[in-house]
Amino acid sequence: TFHSSPAHQATKNPYNVLGVDKNASASDIKKAYYGLAKKYHPDTNKDATAKDKFTEAQTAYEMLSDPKKKEAWDQYGAAAFDQGAGFDPSGGGGGPGGNPFAGGGNPFGGFGGQGGFGAEFNFEDLFGAFGGGGARRGRGSRSSPFQEEVLVGENIEVQTNISFMDAAKGTSKDILITPLVQCKTCSGNGLKKGTKRSECKRCGGTGTRVHFMQGGFQMASTCDACGGQGVTIPRGGECGTCGGNGVVRERRTVTIDIPGGVEDGMRLRVSGEGDSPPTGQAANPEARSTKGDLYVFIRVAPDSKFSRSGSDILYTASIPLTTAVLGGEIKILTLDGEVRVKVATGTGTGDKITLAGMGMKKLSSRRGAHGDLRVEFKVQMPKYLSVNQRTIVEMLADEMGDKTAKRIMNLGKSTPTPTPDEKNNDSHKNEGFLKSAWHKLTHQHDSKPSDSDSSKSEKTSGKDDEEPKKSSGSG
């Protein structure tokens, strides 16, 4: 038998019992209680402590769902509810020695009367989880109790993989699913032809059984004979095709359109492509029913060239060292093919340019706007240089006055110090740096005699011509 907690025990903190914050909303409190009630309900949890934990959760929810009791706890704590406190937040049976939750009658009756649960609590939702019905029920607001009940099927979740370019441009995918569909043999009622349902004799068609506890409390639980449906099916009366469920599995292919601009991890919803509800297990198989939805999780494969930041695309363009120094024009890859972009003189690694409107499509934009393509330059530094390349680079270091660069070609040592006559040599005076470097590399000026050497040779030959004349004159 179930029993309430003794009156002399201190009231436990309802927030701690339900595991919610003091500032939790009414829906969060109700959700927490639903979870604990389903977990520790004595009909489904046979643990020795399950009954006590269920009672604690029940008491905590009753306290927090009543605005007066919740306000009293927030202001006075357990002192407002412990025996002898003299406080009656419910306006009922409080006072010294009284029951602060006294309201009389069935605590579940009316779902909002004295001593019951709050007006927003729906015990049908709670006990429906223990009956194994399998179908969700869509109901109208509490102000419309006569609104037609709708049975809703479960949702189906699948995953599909697409490429980076498919995510950019959009694509269509064929998805293979096996949803529950209405049984064609019994038309969804779950019965053999000529068989009918009858009212459950154990619960009288209510679907619940009431347990009386000590202290005047009553506990309602799902009827184990009919599973909470209130009706029973004669033995052997189930449909042989669907086993009484009213639905069977069927393989089918669904084509979905994936819009351009989707990101990895996004979920697409395809309405009405989920499971049909198992109407054969419902109390009223003829009730209106609707299928669940199909949710498709999108996984986008990474691309070797592009990366993504929201609707912007990131691209790294490698450029030669000479192009980075001198500037130029290169081709870069975009979503729509190659385009030519200019490289500014002196571009370094990490420098960026932005090509507006050449990124991913923005899903949130009604006008079909696109993000940007952000290009980051990376200068290709050569690891190995030929003799000529190294010579030119070392000469460039000399020209720019770089004293820290390593030199192995010994250009300065191999060239003798020029004389004043060589400095005035007209043949080299107007040469530029690169032309001079090329001449030195190819040794084009090594065999060319200088003006001073030519004058010296002329003087020497003149002396040689004169000496024979002098000797002949002496004779």
Side-chain angles (χ1 to χ4, degrees):
T1 59
F2 305 104
H3 59 85
S4 58
S5 300
H8 65 273
Q9 290 185 357
T11 304
K12 291 188 177 181
N13 188 327
Y15 296 106
N16 294 341
V17 173
L18 297 181
V20 297
D21 186 72
K22 189 175 181 180
N23 298 322
S25 62
S27 60
D28 292 336
I29 293 175
K30 181 165 64 174
K31 183 178 180 181
Y33 172 67
Y34 268 52
L36 293 176
K38 292 177 182 179
K39 181 178 181 181
Y40 296 112
H41 193 279
D43 285 356
T44 58
N45 193 327
K46 302 304 180 182
D47 188 83
T49 61
K51 293 186 292 185
D52 294 337
K53 291 181 179 179
F54 180 83
T55 303
E56 290 177 359
Q58 181 183 14
T59 303
Y61 179 78
E62 182 178 2
M63 186 185 301
L64 296 181
S65 62
D66 188 320
K68 292 183 178 179
K69 296 177 183 178
K70 184 177 184 297
E71 182 181 0
W73 176 270
D74 293 341
Q75 188 171 0
Y76 301 105
F81 299 87
D82 291 343
Q83 182 178 7
F87 185 82
D88 183 12
S90 65
N99 182 2
F101 303 125
N106 184 358
F108 306 133
F111 306 118
Q114 291 290 336
F117 287 87
E120 296 184 358
F121 191 87
N122 187 0
F123 251 85
E124 227 175 301
D125 294 341
L126 173 61
F127 291 114
F130 307 133
R136 297 176 293 165
R137 293 172 178 171
R139 305 185 65 91
S141 63
R142 299 294 295 180
S143 60
S144 304
F146 301 105
Q147 186 171 345
E148 181 184 7
E149 184 179 47
V150 179
L151 301 177
V152 183
E154 295 293 332
N155 298 325
I156 298 177
E157 296 181 352
V158 295
Q159 176 179 306
T160 186
N161 301 320
I162 61 176
S163 66
F164 189 90
M165 294 303 295
D166 286 341
K169 300 295 185 180
T171 185
S172 295
K173 295 283 287 186
D174 291 334
I175 306 297
L176 179 64
I177 57 176
T178 55
L180 289 173
V181 298
Q182 187 182 75
C183 176
K184 297 179 181 178
T185 304
C186 63
S187 300
N189 62 14
L191 302 177
K192 290 182 178 179
K193 190 175 182 179
T195 306
K196 295 183 179 180
R197 289 176 170 81
S198 59
E199 182 181 280
C200 178
K201 298 180 180 180
R202 182 170 298 184
C203 65
T206 63
T208 58
R209 299 183 61 188
V210 179
H211 307 272
F212 295 92
M213 302 182 295
Q214 295 179 359
F217 283 96
Q218 299 176 1
M219 174 65 69
S221 63
T222 304
C223 176
D224 54 358
C226 64
Q229 302 300 329
V231 293
T232 57
I233 300 174
R235 181 173 298 180
E238 299 88 354
C239 172
T241 303
C242 63
N245 293 322
V247 289
V248 293
R249 292 285 179 188
E250 181 181 87
R251 292 173 60 90
R252 57 180 303 186
T253 300
V254 178
T255 302
I256 61 171
D257 294 326
I258 301 176
V262 295
E263 295 189 50
D264 182 53
M266 279 188 171
R267 186 176 70 167
L268 298 181
R269 174 176 171 266
V270 184
S271 179
E273 292 293 346
D275 288 338
S276 296
T279 51
Q281 299 179 357
N284 180 19
E286 304 300 327
R288 189 162 66 93
S289 62
T290 181
K291 294 181 179 181
D293 298 328
L294 171 64
Y295 288 93
V296 182
F297 289 88
I298 307 296
R299 300 309 307 266
V300 180
D303 191 86
S304 59
K305 300 180 181 65
F306 298 109
S307 58
R308 183 173 179 176
S309 176
S311 59
D312 293 339
I313 294 179
L314 311 178
Y315 177 77
T316 301
S318 298
I319 58 176
L321 173 63
T322 50
T323 303
V325 174
L326 303 175
E329 191 176 74
I330 63 171
K331 292 181 180 180
I332 65 170
L333 189 64
T334 70
L335 296 178
D336 299 314
E338 292 184 342
V339 297
R340 300 186 71 89
V341 297
K342 292 184 178 180
V343 180
T345 301
T347 297
T349 296
D351 290 351
K352 300 176 182 178
I353 61 172
T354 300
L355 303 181
M358 301 189 70
M360 285 281 190
K361 183 179 179 180
K362 295 182 179 179
L363 292 175
S364 59
S365 175
R366 297 181 179 179
R367 299 182 179 180
H370 289 72
D372 300 330
L373 174 61
R374 290 187 279 173
V375 181
E376 180 177 345
F377 293 110
K378 181 179 179 182
V379 180
Q380 295 176 329
M381 300 300 296
K383 293 184 177 180
Y384 304 100
L385 296 172
S386 65
V387 174
N388 290 349
Q389 291 171 345
R390 176 131 199 140
T391 302
I392 292 175
V393 174
E394 289 189 13
M395 294 180 66
L396 177 62
D398 292 339
E399 184 71 16
M400 300 182 67
D402 185 358
K403 304 297 184 182
T404 61
K406 181 181 178 181
R407 293 167 174 80
I408 61 176
M409 302 306 295
N410 299 321
L411 295 176
K413 295 180 180 180
S414 61
T415 304
T417 303
T419 62
D421 294 335
E422 292 175 340
K423 289 183 179 180
N424 297 327
N425 192 343
D426 294 336
S427 61
H428 301 282
K429 182 170 62 175
N430 296 323
E431 284 186 344
F433 164 72
L434 292 178
K435 188 174 181 181
S436 175
W438 176 253
H439 288 166
K440 289 182 179 181
L441 286 173
T442 55
H443 307 285
Q444 292 184 14
H445 298 308
D446 292 352
S447 61
K448 185 176 181 180
S450 63
D451 294 341
S452 59
D453 294 339
S454 300
S455 59
K456 287 182 180 180
S457 61
E458 290 177 357
K459 292 179 181 180
T460 305
S461 61
K463 289 182 180 180
D464 294 338
D465 294 339
E466 293 176 355
E467 286 180 358
K469 293 180 179 180
K470 187 177 179 181
S471 61
S472 62
S474 62

